[in-house]
Amino acid sequence: MNLIQNIKDKKILELIQEANQITLTKHGNNITLERAIFLSWWCDKGDCSFCYMSSQKPLIRDPKKARRRVEAILAEAEMVRRMGWNIEFLSGGYGAFTTSEIKNIATEIHQITANPVWLNVGITSELTAYGGEVIGITGAVEVANPELHRKICPSKPLDDINAMLTEAGELGFKKAITIILGLGETPEDMQYLWEIIDHQGIDRVIFYSLNPHPDTPYADTPQPASLYYAGVVAATRIKFPKLEIITGTWVDNLANIGPLILAGSNGITKFPLFKMFGTRYGRRVEEEVHWAGRKLMGTFTDPACLEGESPRDGLEPFLKRYIKSCLNNKTEYKV
Ligand code: SF4
């Protein structure tokens, strides 16, 4: 099957049908809920043209103030554990936390969830600092076409991301990449993405669709079509049957979830967790998974999961705040 030609010919249903069979055979029936935990709202690079942080950089005078409290980060990890979600990765802009600070946070989260964490903390030459608290390293590729990449992400060169991923593999870490669809790529550009997956032996790809932020050049750009998104995911699943695929869907695009699952997604992400929990939007996510014929791991709606013992001192005020936010959602979340 010529996968790129099939995307171009819009034979999306054929791609999805084959991808679904492969996914069920190789991965089974479960769908995970994934939560990226952010460390800060600051990025020293701040020049990726689609990124929210690029619009915030000029507004933040003191980067230290854009760091989250460590207790808030750990409390969020505990809430994610209680809800049965996975931590997609720890994510932070460049320059907000030092490597040893990130390692300490990862170590505490490992203790809370009993799972080592994925990192997505930028290009670093300090991977040797990490150990058993980290399972894998994420390269934020975003767009795999080298020419587009140079324009869209001028300060994080693909060569440097590749070098980091190579080192990550040599040190025994798993490898992931993030890809954003809708930044101007074409179906032909899938060849670049698949080359990276193949060449690097990538274990996990996280696809997002463009979320056009005000004050960026993409403010008026439409998000990619749902069937294009599903076609790209399905073609990637067919090409790489064992790959773990996570797909991101913002709250204004929940109808994408069912097709993305049939296209080969193992997990779904990119939700405003505490705002959506228990609302009809959270229930909609569960319905999408149900009607894709899959079993959802964790919950977006069950308040019984929220209470529990704090895993360590100092987290209680933050846990209470998150639980309150979840329980206050009885009015509907506004998009
Ligand atoms: S490096 Fe990451 S956080 Fe920083 S501007 Fe680029 S995409 Fe945004």
Side-chain angles (χ1 to χ4, degrees), residues 24-306:
L24 288 170
T25 306
K26 299 282 181 196
H27 300 266
N29 205 28
N30 293 340
I31 296 294
T32 57
L33 290 163
E34 305 280 331
R35 170 77 171 173
I37 295 189
F38 280 82
L39 301 174
S40 74
W41 313 115
W42 162 262
C43 173
D44 204 22
K45 307 261 184 230
D47 60 358
C48 297
S49 54
F50 58 85
C51 179
Y52 167 77
M53 294 207 204
S54 70
S55 67
Q56 294 305 294
K57 190 177 179 195
L59 308 177
I60 297 174
R61 291 218 179 85
D62 182 358
K64 284 248 176 323
K65 291 207 174 117
R67 288 162 46 125
R68 291 182 69 197
R69 291 270 303 266
V70 171
E71 289 81 2
I73 295 166
L74 299 180
E76 185 176 336
E78 166 65 6
M79 292 306 300
V80 167
R81 186 197 66 76
R82 290 180 188 179
M83 293 171 185
W85 293 43
N86 287 339
I87 296 175
E88 179 185 345
F89 43 58
L90 281 186
S91 182
Y94 283 79
F97 281 82
T98 65
T99 296
S100 67
E101 287 172 324
I102 295 170
K103 181 182 168 76
N104 288 341
I105 293 169
T107 302
E108 291 217 55
I109 291 182
H110 184 198
Q111 284 160 3
I112 289 170
T113 65
N115 292 317
V117 295
W118 282 90
L119 294 184
N120 181 13
V121 292
I123 301 164
T124 172
S125 55
E126 299 181 356
L127 290 182
T128 50
Y130 300 114
E133 71 284 352
V134 169
I135 187 169
I137 303 298
T138 308
V141 169
E142 326 294 21
V143 57
N145 174 324
E147 202 179 316
L148 274 181
H149 192 278
R150 270 191 292 276
K151 284 188 203 145
I152 294 171
C153 305
S155 297
K156 45 179 190 183
L158 271 181
D159 284 351
D160 293 355
I161 295 174
N162 265 311
M164 177 182 73
L165 288 172
T166 301
E167 192 193 359
E170 288 164 1
L171 292 170
F173 296 115
K174 289 188 166 196
K175 305 186 211 180
I177 54 173
T178 58
I179 293 289
I180 302 172
L181 298 179
L183 292 176
E185 82 287 345
T186 64
E188 278 88 357
D189 288 344
M190 292 312 127
Q191 63 173 307
Y192 297 112
L193 167 62
W194 297 342
E195 265 170 38
I196 295 175
I197 298 172
D198 205 18
H199 173 71
Q200 282 290 350
I202 295 292
D203 299 287
R204 161 194 245 219
V205 173
I206 302 130
F207 286 102
Y208 304 109
S209 65
L210 173 68
N211 186 18
H213 289 293
D215 306 321
T216 69
Y218 291 95
D220 292 324
T221 305
Q223 293 164 311
S226 54
L227 290 178
Y228 165 74
Y229 190 177
V232 167
V233 172
T236 305
R237 162 60 68 228
I238 295 167
K239 184 104 180 137
F240 300 97
K242 289 192 194 151
L243 183 70
E244 184 184 357
I245 298 178
I246 309 293
T247 52
T249 304
W250 192 241
V251 67
D252 59 350
N253 262 320
L254 297 180
N256 277 358
I257 293 173
L260 288 171
I261 290 172
L262 295 180
S265 182
N266 303 107
I268 48 179
T269 187
K270 204 78 183 154
F271 307 112
L273 170 60
F274 298 119
K275 281 188 191 166
M276 269 174 72
F277 189 92
T279 67
R280 72 183 167 96
Y281 297 92
R283 290 200 292 280
R284 173 64 185 277
V285 174
E286 296 186 347
E287 286 288 302
E288 288 284 325
V289 175
H290 172 74
W291 280 98
R294 298 297 211 274
K295 182 167 178 279
L296 185 66
M297 312 304 289
T299 178
F300 223 137
T301 54
D302 181 7
C305 74
L306 297 176

Side-chain angles (χ1 to χ4, degrees), residues 1-15 186-191 194 228 231-232 235 239:
M1 191 187 265
N2 183 332
L3 296 168
I4 289 178
Q5 193 59 46
N6 276 14
I7 298 173
K8 287 166 68 178
D9 291 344
K10 305 177 188 65
K11 293 184 178 163
I12 308 298
L13 282 179
E14 282 176 32
L15 289 167
T186 64
E188 278 88 357
D189 288 344
M190 292 312 127
Q191 63 173 307
W194 297 342
Y228 165 74
V232 167
K239 184 104 180 137

